Each structure stands twice: as structure tokens, then as C-alpha cells.
Amino acid sequence: MDAENPNSQRRHVTIKLWPPSPNTRQMLVERMTKNLSTPTIFTRKYGSLSENEASEYAKEIEESAFADANQHYEQEPDGDGSSAVQLYARECSKLILEALKRGPGVEDKGIVKSQVVSAVGETFFDISKGQRAFIEADEAKTLLIPLKEPGNSYTELCFSNRSFGLGAAHVAGPILESIKNQLKKVDLSDFVAGRPEAEALDVMNIFSAALEGSHLTCLNLSDNALGEKGVRAFGKLLQSQTSLEELYLMNDGISEEAARAVCELVPSTEKLKVLQFHNNMTGDEGAVAISEILRRSPLLEDFRCSSTRVGSVGGVALSEALEGCKNLKKLDLRDNMFGVEAGVKLSEALSKHEYLTEVFLSYLNLEDEGAIAIANTLKETAPSLGVLEMAGNDITAEAAPSVAACIAAKKALAKLNLSENELKDDGAIPISKALEEGHDQVTEIDMSQNSLRRAGARSLAQALVHKPELKLLNVNGNFISDEGIDELKDIFKESPEKLGPLDENDPEGNDDDRESGDDGEGGEDELESKLKNLDVNQDE
């Protein structure tokens, strides 16, 4: 009996593993400090921290991991604390790696803590911070540990800026497949950089298969040099999506063939609100394919197709398709070769868009005819327009009355960019008068490189200097005399930071319409007198 009692008592003894003692916690801080500041496999890859910085990070990491694990333990008070200990260790390991990837330079009290705490208990899993790096199988196993935790609440993933090799993809695939039904937003931009084409395509296929059947609202595949092969490598993922609201395919080598593949493989766009194709080699035929997507996207609010080598034919196709996107708020078609015909067609489409707040139409070769058509349309629609850019379109003073009338009607306008045109003083003065009344929300006006002289620049300065929200008036790169420069500086003497640099101004500049005289000021005064009573609000 005496021999049995001890055994019987031992069977009923419960050893509590949580919480750790203060000494144990301090030893862990010291160990983490060493791991952050001395040579290890990870510090050799990402760089080490100074001892002081490592110590600060280690303290914050331990406190954050302890708080998270303790909260977990409190939810299961009858347990022995083993699961809390495991969570404590995992969080410390994860946050050490994230601290190394962020690198040195964060020493202010509280900054480290805020960054660490934000990584715990979030729905957003992000490995994109720090320097671009290749990821192989071993590191992927460590990095993706949080995604394997039972009951994790991650709904957003960002794998950008990390180049996945085939081994890492095989690690990631099953993990992504296990959580795909809870995911809503996935960012795979720039995630195969520097990989051979064959390997990159295999990686894409693995990720595509793993995420097939997920119910994403946002998918970002930008910066992957996809081309048609890459688009088709993501075919399983793209074809399975029925709830996409945002799709990003920027800087992806989207050629004519690739654009057709996108049109084919993304059949469901009824819920699409954001579609961005910036910096591709789409061309006219590719734009025709994209226009088919637009026709299937009645809820579209944000469309970007800038720097895509689209000419007149493609511009017309996009413009016609945009007529059906009546919820559009932001339109960015910059840096294409639309020309006048597509510009006029675009003006017809814009008449349908009363909700527009941002319009970017720079470098489209609109010329006066296209600019006038667009300005006349915008004058009558888009009452909440806050940003208007029409730089580099060969717009002259001939279009200025229409542009000015449009501006006068847009009381919510905050940013206006008409740089790199040929408006000259004849155009600048009516535009400045359009800005005089109201427009208290104006923050930035760019009239650089417009062959302005003293009168035009002065008129703009006087119209804007007292705007309460103004941050910048840019009239650089013009033909303003030295006296004119002094006058501008005097106008802005109470707020010189609001007047942009004038280092590229050429007081000796020439143009065909320059009046005779040393600096053209006689002609400027005559011009200003002639236009001072111009009514920019009158109908054309």
C-alpha cells in the first residue's frame, strides 16, 4: 500500500507549462538579441542589427509573443499550457525573421513595438518587406509557419518582392490550398523575379492550381513579365474566379496575344470594380480585347490602361466600351497614342460618367480638337471632379476658352496638370481667371513648359496665392523674365514654399508669337489688358 500511494499521487499531478518564469523570459530575450546581432544563416542573408537595436527588438518581440500566447492560454484554462508555449515559440521565431527583413534603422521608442504588434493577430499576412530576395524550400517552410496554424484568420496574402523557386512553390502550394476558402485578397506581384522562364511558369502553375476555386475579391499578378504563357499558367485560378472586384496586371508584358488570353480566361467580371493594365505592350488589337472585358464590367469604378502603346483604333475601341461603365470614378489612359479621333470618341464616352473624380489624359496626342471636345463634355458632367491631367497634348490657346470654362465649373478641383503644352499667356490668363472664384480645395497647379511669360505667370500666381489648401504652383520651364521671376517671388513672399522651383526657366526663350522688345513685357501688358475682362463662364 505504501508503495502504491506515491504512484497514485503522481498520476494525478498536473504540470503547468505556462506561464514561463521571469528568468525564462529574460533568457529568451538575451538569446533573441544574440540571434539578431551575431552571424547566423538569416543574418548572413538579411544583415544583422546593432546590439542596442537587437536588444530593443528582442524585448518588443518577447512582449508581443507573450501577450498573444497568454491570451491563447486564457481561452483554455484547463490545459497544461503546452499549446501556449508552442505559440510563444512560433511567434518569436516569426517576428525575429520579420525584424531582420525590415533591417536596421528603427530605434525610436514605440516604433518597434507598433511594427511587431501589427504582425500578431492580423488577417493580413505579408512577407514583402525588406530587400528583394530569392526564397527556396527551407526558408519557405519557416516563413509560412503562421499560415499552417489551425484556426488562423488570414484573409489577405502578400508574397510580393520575394522570388519563389520551384522548391519553395512546392512548400507553399499545399499550404495555400488548405486555406484558399478563407482568402479574399492575394498579391503575387513580382514573385518570380530572376527565375528562368521554365521555372517561373512551373511556379505559376503550382500557385494557380493551389488557389483554384478560391473566392477572391482582389488578385494582383503585376510585375511578373507574364506574357501569354504566364497568363495561361494562371488559367486555373483565373477561370475559377466569380467574385473578383479588383484585378491588377501592370508591367506584365501583356501583348496582343496575352490580352486576348486575359479576355478568354477571366469570364466573370460582373463584380469587377478595379482593372489596371499599366505599362504593357498591348497595342491596338490588345486594346480591342481589353474593351471586351470592359463591356462585361458594368460596375467598374477604376480603370487604368496607361503606357500600353494603344493607338487610334484601340483608343476608339476602349472609348466605346467605356460608355457602359457608368460607375467610373477614376480613369487613367496616360501615355498612349490616341490622337484626335480617339480623343473625340472618348469625349462622347465621358458624357456618361457623372461620378468621375480623377481623370488622367496626359500624352495622348489630343491636340486642340480633342482637348476642346473633352473639356466641353467634362464641363457638363462629373461635378465632383478633383483631379484633371491633360499634359503633353499640344494644346494651344485656341482650346483655352473651353478648358477654362470646364475648370470654372469644377469647384471641387484639387489638382490640375496642363504642363508641356503650348498655352502661352493667351491660354494661361483665362485659365487663371477660371481659378479665381471658389476653388478653395485647389492644392496643386502645374503649368510648366507652356511658353509662359511674365503676364501669364503673374496672373496664375495672383489667382492662387491666397488659396487656403494650395501646396504648389509649378511654372518652371517657361520664358519668364528676370523681373517676372522677382515679381512671382514677391507675390509668394508670405508662403515661398508654395511656389515651385524656377531653375529651368529661360528668360531668353523664343517662340513664334513673341512680341518685339527686350523681354516681351510690352506685348504681355497689352495681352493682359485685352483679356482681363474675359468671361470664362460663358457658353461656347
Side-chain angles (χ1 to χ4, degrees):
M1 292 292 294
D2 291 340
E4 291 177 359
N5 286 337
N7 290 336
S8 176
Q9 290 175 357
R10 280 196 295 270
R11 280 197 298 269
H12 291 87
V13 171
T14 300
I15 300 175
K16 291 288 186 180
L17 302 177
W18 189 266
S21 68
N23 285 339
T24 299
R25 294 181 63 185
Q26 181 58 35
M27 287 174 61
L28 181 60
V29 169
E30 292 172 0
R31 188 181 307 162
M32 287 193 294
T33 300
K34 184 177 180 180
N35 288 341
L36 288 165
S37 60
T38 60
T40 67
I41 185 173
F42 291 115
T43 57
R44 281 192 289 269
K45 184 169 186 176
Y46 298 111
S48 60
L49 307 179
S50 68
E51 188 170 347
N52 287 339
E53 198 167 21
S55 177
E56 184 70 15
Y57 265 114
K59 291 174 184 176
E60 300 291 356
I61 287 171
E62 192 281 330
E63 289 176 5
S64 179
F66 178 84
D68 198 54
N70 200 52
Q71 182 179 10
H72 173 81
Y73 175 70
E74 290 174 353
Q75 294 172 357
E76 48 172 29
D78 296 330
D80 63 0
S82 59
S83 61
V85 171
Q86 292 174 5
L87 178 59
Y88 183 50
R90 283 199 303 270
E91 288 298 327
C92 285
S93 297
K94 180 182 71 174
L95 297 177
I96 286 173
L97 189 58
E98 290 180 359
L100 288 173
K101 287 184 176 182
R102 274 193 297 270
V106 183
E107 296 185 358
D108 292 337
K109 183 67 176 176
I111 294 180
V112 175
K113 182 175 182 180
S114 65
Q115 290 179 329
V116 170
V117 171
S118 68
V120 180
E122 291 286 342
T123 58
F124 181 34
F125 182 78
D126 184 4
I127 61 172
S128 67
K129 307 303 180 185
Q131 297 178 347
R132 176 186 284 183
F134 283 80
I135 291 181
E136 305 304 340
D138 289 343
E139 186 177 0
K141 291 176 182 177
T142 302
L143 279 175
L144 304 183
I145 284 176
L147 298 180
K148 297 174 68 176
E149 293 179 6
N152 75 74
S153 56
Y154 291 112
T155 59
E156 301 180 40
L157 304 182
C158 181
F159 286 1
S160 181
N161 202 37
R162 292 289 181 268
S163 180
F164 279 75
L166 193 55
H170 282 303
V171 171
I175 297 174
L176 293 177
E177 187 170 4
S178 71
I179 62 171
K180 67 181 180 182
N181 290 330
Q182 70 192 53
L183 296 177
K184 296 300 180 184
K185 298 182 179 182
V186 172
D187 184 347
L188 299 178
S189 61
D190 192 24
F191 87 125
V192 289
R195 301 289 179 178
E197 180 183 281
E199 182 181 18
L201 291 173
D202 285 342
V203 170
M204 293 175 191
N205 273 297
I206 291 171
F207 274 77
S208 176
L211 293 168
E212 181 183 8
S214 55
H215 303 285
L216 303 180
T217 60
C218 177
L219 178 61
N220 189 348
L221 300 177
S222 301
D223 301 310
N224 284 312
L226 294 176
E228 183 185 7
K229 292 180 181 178
V231 171
R232 294 196 179 280
F234 277 111
K236 290 182 179 180
L237 171 58
L238 293 171
Q239 285 181 310
S240 69
Q241 298 307 302
T242 59
S243 302
L244 271 184
E245 296 180 8
E246 300 178 35
L247 178 60
Y248 300 88
L249 293 166
M250 298 184 288
N251 193 30
D252 265 335
I254 301 296
S255 60
E256 171 188 332
E257 295 78 13
R260 288 194 182 119
V262 173
C263 183
E264 170 194 337
L265 296 171
V266 188
S268 180
T269 58
E270 291 83 2
K271 298 179 181 179
L272 201 63
K273 294 181 179 180
V274 179
L275 180 61
Q276 298 200 358
F277 280 97
H278 170 69
N279 196 28
N280 285 295
M281 48 186 183
T282 311
D284 281 346
E285 293 303 316
V288 171
I290 292 172
S291 70
E292 292 303 313
I293 300 176
L294 295 179
R295 294 181 192 280
R296 306 196 302 257
S297 308
L299 300 182
L300 198 66
E301 297 179 0
D302 181 343
F303 178 57
R304 185 178 187 185
C305 195
S306 51
S307 302
T308 49
R309 307 183 188 180
V310 177
S312 180
V313 172
V316 169
L318 290 174
S319 298
E320 290 176 344
L322 283 169
E323 289 188 20
C325 304
K326 297 181 181 180
N327 292 293
L328 206 62
K329 296 178 181 178
K330 182 177 179 180
L331 177 63
D332 188 347
L333 298 171
R334 283 175 288 188
D335 190 24
N336 284 297
M337 300 169 284
F338 276 31
V340 173
E341 181 182 357
V344 172
K345 181 61 68 174
L346 179 61
S347 73
E348 297 172 6
L350 292 177
S351 66
K352 314 290 185 181
H353 298 117
E354 60 179 304
Y355 302 115
L356 279 171
T357 59
E358 299 179 44
V359 177
F360 301 89
L361 304 177
S362 297
Y363 311 107
L364 292 178
N365 297 331
L366 296 175
E367 301 182 14
D368 284 337
E369 185 178 349
I372 289 171
I374 289 171
N376 287 342
T377 297
L378 287 177
K379 176 188 173 185
E380 304 299 331
T381 189
S384 299
L385 189 66
V387 178
L388 176 60
E389 290 196 7
M390 297 178 70
N393 277 302
D394 296 321
I395 302 173
T396 73
E398 181 180 341
S402 292
V403 174
C406 173
I407 293 169
K410 303 301 150 191
K411 301 303 183 184
L413 194 67
K415 294 184 179 182
L416 174 66
N417 184 354
L418 293 172
S419 64
E420 297 184 58
N421 284 300
E422 288 296 327
L423 286 164
K424 302 181 180 178
D425 286 4
D426 307 57
I429 291 176
I431 287 171
S432 66
K433 291 187 176 296
L435 291 164
E436 284 180 352
E437 298 297 327
H439 293 90
D440 289 338
Q441 298 181 48
V442 164
T443 61
E444 184 175 333
I445 302 294
D446 191 343
M447 289 285 287
S448 59
Q449 299 185 56
N450 263 289
S451 300
L452 303 186
R453 298 191 181 281
R454 181 177 182 177
R458 178 174 62 229
S459 182
L460 286 165
Q462 291 172 337
L464 296 168
V465 66
H466 296 301
K467 299 296 181 185
E469 301 298 324
L470 184 69
K471 292 181 173 61
L472 178 66
L473 168 62
N474 185 2
V475 289
N476 206 4
N478 285 301
F479 302 152
I480 308 167
S481 65
D482 291 336
E483 291 80 1
I485 295 293
D486 291 338
E487 187 174 13
L488 291 179
K489 291 179 178 179
D490 185 63
I491 292 172
F492 279 93
K493 62 184 177 182
E494 300 297 328
S495 52
E497 72 283 357
K498 296 181 180 180
L499 179 63
L502 296 163
D503 55 307
E504 295 181 5
N505 180 68
D506 181 11
E508 305 297 329
N510 291 305
D511 61 75
D512 295 338
D513 297 326
R514 181 174 178 173
E515 300 291 339
S516 60
D518 291 340
D519 59 10
E521 289 180 29
E524 291 172 350
D525 292 340
E526 180 181 350
L527 173 64
E528 187 174 10
S529 174
K530 188 186 301 183
L531 296 176
K532 68 180 180 180
N533 294 317
L534 181 66
D535 182 4
V536 298
N537 292 290
Q538 65 184 4
D539 292 331
E540 294 300 307

